[in-house]
Amino acid sequence: MTRRVLACVAGVLAVLAAFAGSPYRNDRAGIDVAALAEEVTRETDHVTALELAQWIRDRKPGLRVLDLRDSLSYAEYRIPRAEQISMSDLVSRRFPSNETLVLISDGGAHAAQGWVFLRARGHRQVYFLRGGLGEWIDEVINPAKPSDLTRYFGGMPRMGEPSGMEVGEESAVTRAQALRRRGC
Amino acid sequence: MMPVAPFFELGAFGAFGSQVAAVAIGIAFGVALERAGLGHAPKLAAQFYATDFTVLKVMLSAIVTAMLGVFWLARLDVLDLTLVAVPETWVLPQLVGGLLFGAGFVVSGLCPGTACVSAATGRGDGAAAVLGFFVGILIAGLAFESLRSFYDSTARGVWTLDQWSGLSYGVVVAGVVAMALLAFVVAERVEARA
C-alpha cells in the first residue's frame, strides 16, 4: 500500500514537472531591456583591459575569461586563463551563477553581442572587454606607460624593441605585436 | 526567494562542515544498503537470474527520488542548479567502462558500494572485491599514459539528457519517472513468477 502511494506521488510530481517550466532560475528571468540600457549607460557592462589584467593577476574568485575568436586566432595568441568558445556554445551553455564571465573578441563588438545574449538569459556577472584584444595589446602587452601590472603579463613599452631576448625566443609581446585587429 | 543550496557553494558549510556532512551521508548510505540486504552477494546476483530485483528497485528509487527532489527544489528556487556539479561525458570510454563494471558485477555479485558494505560486515567476498578495486585502480594508473588517448576520446563535456534529446528538463524528468515506474511493475511481475 505504501509503495503504491509513493509511486502515485512520484507520478503526480513527474507529470507536474513536465509542465512546470525550467528549473533554472536564469531561464525564467525575463528580459528587462530598461535595466540593460541602464547598465550600458552606467558603463557597468564592460571592463577595461587593465581591470581585466588586475582580476587575472589577483586570481579573482570565479573569474572565467571567454574568448569568442576562432580557434586559429586563439592558438596564435590568447589572454592568460582565457578559454575559447564559439558564440553558439556561449548561448547554449549554462554557467554557474557564482562565476564572473568576461567576454573577449577582436574588436569588442562580438563580445558586446555575447554580453546581451547572456544578460538576456539571466546571467548577472557578465562583462565584455571594451576594446577587445586590441585594447589588451595596447594597454597591457604593449603599453605606453608600463607598470607592475603590465610587466606581470610580460608587457613591454610601446616604443623600442624588447631587450634581453634570445634569438628564436618568442615572447607574449612579439606574438601579440604580430596580431592585427581583425573584424569584430 | 534566493536559493540556499548547494550549502557548500553558497557558504552555509565550510570545508570542514562539508566533509563532516559527506562522512555522515556516506555512513547513512552504507547503513541503508546493508538494511536493504545489499551487502549479500547472492541477493545481488539473483537479479541476473531474474528472481530478485531488489538492486534494480533500490537504484530506480534513488534515481527517481533524487531527480524529483533536485527538479522541484530548483523549480521552487531552494536549489541553484547551476552550482550543482555534473560529471562530464566521454561516450566510448564510459561505454567500455560500463561494460567492464557490469562484467565485474556479474562475476562478484557486488558493485563498489555494496562491496564496501559487504567487507564492513566481515564478508570475505566483499573484502576480496574491495582489494580487486584497488589492484585495478593501481594497474589502470600505471598504464594510464598508454590509455590516455582512449580516455580522452569522444568528449562531450557536460551532456545531460535534455541537451541530448532536445526535450525540456521537466519532460525528461517525467519520462524517466514513467520508465522507472514501468520497470517496477515489470520487475514485480517477473519476481512473482519466479
Side-chain angles (χ1 to χ4, degrees):
Chain A
M1 183 63 188
T2 309
R3 284 185 301 176
R4 285 190 180 175
V5 172
L6 289 173
C8 286
V9 170
V12 169
L13 288 174
V15 170
L16 290 175
F19 301 99
S22 174
Y24 291 94
R25 278 167 66 87
N26 286 353
D27 291 353
R28 285 178 269 122
I31 305 173
D32 187 345
V33 178
L36 295 189
E38 179 65 19
E39 284 189 48
V40 173
T41 306
R42 285 190 282 111
E43 301 202 9
T44 52
D45 56 341
H46 61 258
V47 289
T48 64
L50 289 174
E51 284 170 335
L52 176 59
Q54 186 89 42
W55 284 359
I56 294 173
R57 190 187 67 172
D58 295 348
R59 299 184 182 279
K60 180 181 168 68
L63 176 65
R64 199 155 171 195
V65 184
L66 303 171
D67 190 331
L68 291 166
R69 298 174 305 143
D70 60 42
S71 326
L72 206 63
S73 306
Y74 177 78
E76 197 176 348
Y77 177 77
R78 61 176 176 267
I79 291 176
R81 285 186 65 181
E83 51 187 294
Q84 199 246 335
I85 186 170
S86 67
M87 189 67 92
S88 55
D89 279 350
L90 180 78
V91 295
S92 61
R93 197 177 291 182
R94 296 186 193 285
F95 296 97
S97 60
N98 59 356
E99 286 187 346
T100 300
L101 309 177
V102 178
L103 309 178
I104 295 165
S105 59
D106 266 325
H110 275 167
Q113 289 162 340
W115 177 85
V116 173
F117 297 149
L118 289 183
R119 290 294 286 114
R121 290 200 63 191
H123 291 282
R124 295 206 166 273
Q125 297 291 319
V126 190
Y127 305 91
F128 63 94
L129 181 57
R130 183 181 55 186
L133 196 70
E135 183 187 334
W136 175 266
I137 292 165
D138 288 345
E139 301 296 327
V140 179
I141 300 302
N142 204 194
K145 192 177 173 186
S147 65
D148 284 348
L149 183 61
T150 60
R151 277 190 283 274
Y152 178 83
F153 291 93
M156 299 282 189
R158 197 168 296 167
M159 299 300 291
E161 291 298 315
S163 59
M165 231 166 48
E166 298 295 329
V167 176
E169 185 182 350
E170 191 183 35
S171 70
V173 180
T174 51
R175 284 200 303 278
Q177 281 174 336
L179 291 174
R180 293 179 190 283
R181 295 189 187 194
R182 313 181 184 89
C184 298
Chain B
M1 177 180 172
M2 291 303 289
V4 293
F7 298 124
F8 176 69
E9 282 74 7
L10 293 177
F13 284 171
F16 180 73
S18 66
Q19 284 164 2
V20 170
V23 170
I25 291 169
I27 290 171
F29 179 64
V31 169
L33 283 181
E34 172 57 22
R35 296 297 301 153
L38 298 185
H40 185 49
K43 187 171 183 66
L44 278 77
Q47 177 173 251
F48 304 112
Y49 297 99
T51 55
D52 185 339
F53 285 98
T54 302
V55 176
L56 180 81
K57 288 186 278 188
V58 166
M59 294 308 292
L60 288 178
S61 301
I63 290 169
V64 166
T65 306
M67 196 172 211
L68 286 170
V70 165
F71 179 88
W72 281 107
L73 287 174
R75 182 63 188 82
L76 299 172
D77 289 341
V78 177
L79 171 71
D80 184 345
L81 208 45
T82 66
L83 296 180
V84 175
V86 181
E88 294 183 31
T89 299
W90 286 267
V91 180
L92 265 180
Q94 285 171 345
L95 274 176
V96 171
L99 283 171
L100 201 58
F101 182 99
F105 200 161
V106 171
V107 170
S108 68
L110 295 165
C111 66
T114 55
C116 291
V117 168
S118 182
T121 52
R123 293 184 173 96
D125 54 348
V130 171
L131 181 66
F133 300 154
F134 286 107
V135 171
I137 289 167
L138 181 67
I139 292 171
L142 292 173
F144 186 71
E145 279 310 313
S146 53
L147 295 172
R148 184 185 284 276
S149 60
F150 177 67
Y151 186 88
D152 289 334
S153 65
T154 56
R156 297 301 301 254
V158 172
W159 197 32
T160 53
L161 286 174
D162 56 325
Q163 290 169 327
W164 170 70
S165 65
L167 298 170
S168 74
Y169 197 124
V171 169
V172 169
V173 169
V176 171
V177 172
M179 188 185 71
L181 292 178
L182 182 66
F184 267 104
V185 172
V186 172
E188 301 247 308
R189 286 190 182 172
V190 172
E191 280 176 339
R193 283 185 198 162

